Amino acid sequence: MSQKVAVLGTGKIGEALLSGMIRAGWAPADLLVTARRPERAEELRTRYGVSPVTNTEAAKTADTLILTVKPQDMGTLLDELAPHVPADRLIISGAAGIPTSFFEARLPAGTPVVRVMTNTPALVDEAMSVISAGSHATEAHVAHAEEIFGAVGKTLRVPESQQDACTALSGSGPAYFFYLVEAMTDAGILLGLPRDKAHDLIVQSAIGAAVMLRDSGEHPVKLRENVTSPAGTTINAIRELEKHGVRAALIAALEAARDRSRELASGNKD
């Protein structure tokens, strides 16, 4: 952990990663940050003891650059970095929809690039980070990316060809659950419960169900069947979900998210 790591464009996800790395044992002296606003950079220095630098300084001094700016700003950032990045720098991209070839074409020949799609549960150390190697990234580079993102949750290696599907399923995934909780809370209110009680009931049910899925080793169909008694309340609810095409709607939604990720990768921002 003696290598210097720079987080460029340190927003919410970048800060979550930064704080997770420190908790996992990285020394603040080995962590650099960049931010668009000087007051944001100073806030990070005060909170974590890290060193704010410019993007150019980060490119010259850090061994690993983690790029967490918005996808639409990535081209501009790479133009700024390219003259100062040695070919042995590891570049880790956290930008949705942008392939490693985009970085390799704009940086010195042979620059190792690793693509990572993480999600907002990084804020509570429960992220799912999906990692893919670019054409010049070695096993050591990918392992280093796993070590960094493992500080804020779980990691999974996939071929880059699967990144768009992972973006749809996991990158956007928390929003689907928040949407479901929102709808169930409204249903609870309709059924006569106060909002706070409906919220508590649903959130704890979601946590319990997630832990059972993670720890039991059972297929979700089996776990659902265990709750579904003949002619009972659950089967009546499931019948309504099927009648309204909820399963088909979810599949269509994830396909739409995957297709949008592909469009972003091709440069279509409209």
Side-chain angles (χ1 to χ4, degrees):
M1 296 183 187
S2 60
Q3 285 196 341
K4 285 197 176 295
V5 176
V7 181
L8 279 65
T10 315
K12 287 185 178 180
I13 293 293
E15 183 177 356
L17 185 60
L18 187 72
S19 63
M21 291 172 69
I22 291 172
R23 289 192 299 277
W26 268 266
D30 292 330
L31 299 175
L32 310 176
V33 296
T34 77
R36 181 171 296 180
R37 296 178 291 108
E39 60 270 26
R40 170 62 173 166
E42 187 57 36
E43 175 186 323
L44 293 167
R45 183 208 299 271
T46 302
R47 187 174 297 166
Y48 301 106
V50 297
S51 301
V53 294
T54 66
N55 291 330
T56 298
E57 289 170 335
K60 290 178 179 178
T61 59
D63 301 289
T64 300
L65 304 178
I66 305 173
L67 312 186
T68 62
V69 301
K70 295 178 180 178
Q72 60 266 32
D73 297 328
M74 193 62 76
T76 301
L77 176 61
L78 291 176
D79 290 342
E80 182 181 357
L81 296 177
H84 310 288
V85 175
D88 62 349
R89 287 284 186 273
L90 172 59
I91 305 296
I92 299 177
S93 164
I98 301 183
T100 55
S101 58
F102 180 90
F103 299 86
E104 293 167 348
R106 289 163 175 78
L107 294 170
T111 300
V113 180
V114 174
R115 178 176 172 182
V116 181
M117 165 51 60
T118 192
N119 56 17
T120 56
L123 297 167
V124 292
D125 291 348
E126 292 290 349
M128 183 70 249
S129 300
V130 184
I131 299 176
S132 301
S135 57
H136 306 297
T138 66
E139 166 65 26
H141 292 132
V142 176
H144 187 47
E146 287 178 324
E147 182 182 21
I148 291 171
F149 282 84
V152 292
K154 296 188 68 173
T155 64
L156 177 70
R157 295 190 194 190
V158 300
E160 190 169 12
S161 61
Q162 295 177 0
Q163 276 279 356
D164 292 322
C166 292
T167 297
L169 202 63
S170 179
S172 300
Y176 313 145
F177 289 100
F178 298 146
Y179 183 86
L180 180 61
V181 168
E182 178 187 359
M184 291 177 70
T185 301
D186 288 343
I189 295 169
L190 180 65
L191 296 175
L193 292 171
R195 178 176 293 276
D196 60 341
K197 287 186 171 57
H199 176 83
D200 289 348
L201 287 166
I202 295 160
V203 170
Q204 185 55 39
S205 296
I207 292 170
V211 171
M212 289 180 70
L213 280 167
R214 185 191 65 192
D215 296 347
S216 70
E218 296 281 6
H219 193 282
V221 170
K222 175 63 175 176
L223 293 175
R224 177 179 60 78
E225 288 176 345
N226 290 343
V227 188
T228 309
S229 303
T233 58
T234 305
I235 191 60
N236 274 273
I238 295 296
R239 180 185 63 181
E240 289 301 314
L241 291 173
E242 294 291 352
K243 185 188 299 184
H244 288 82
V246 171
R247 186 188 303 266
L250 283 171
I251 293 171
L254 267 66
E255 287 179 330
R258 178 209 57 195
D259 294 345
R260 182 54 179 159
S261 182
R262 289 175 176 172
E263 290 173 356
L264 290 171
S266 69
N268 182 5
K269 305 296 191 290
D270 297 329

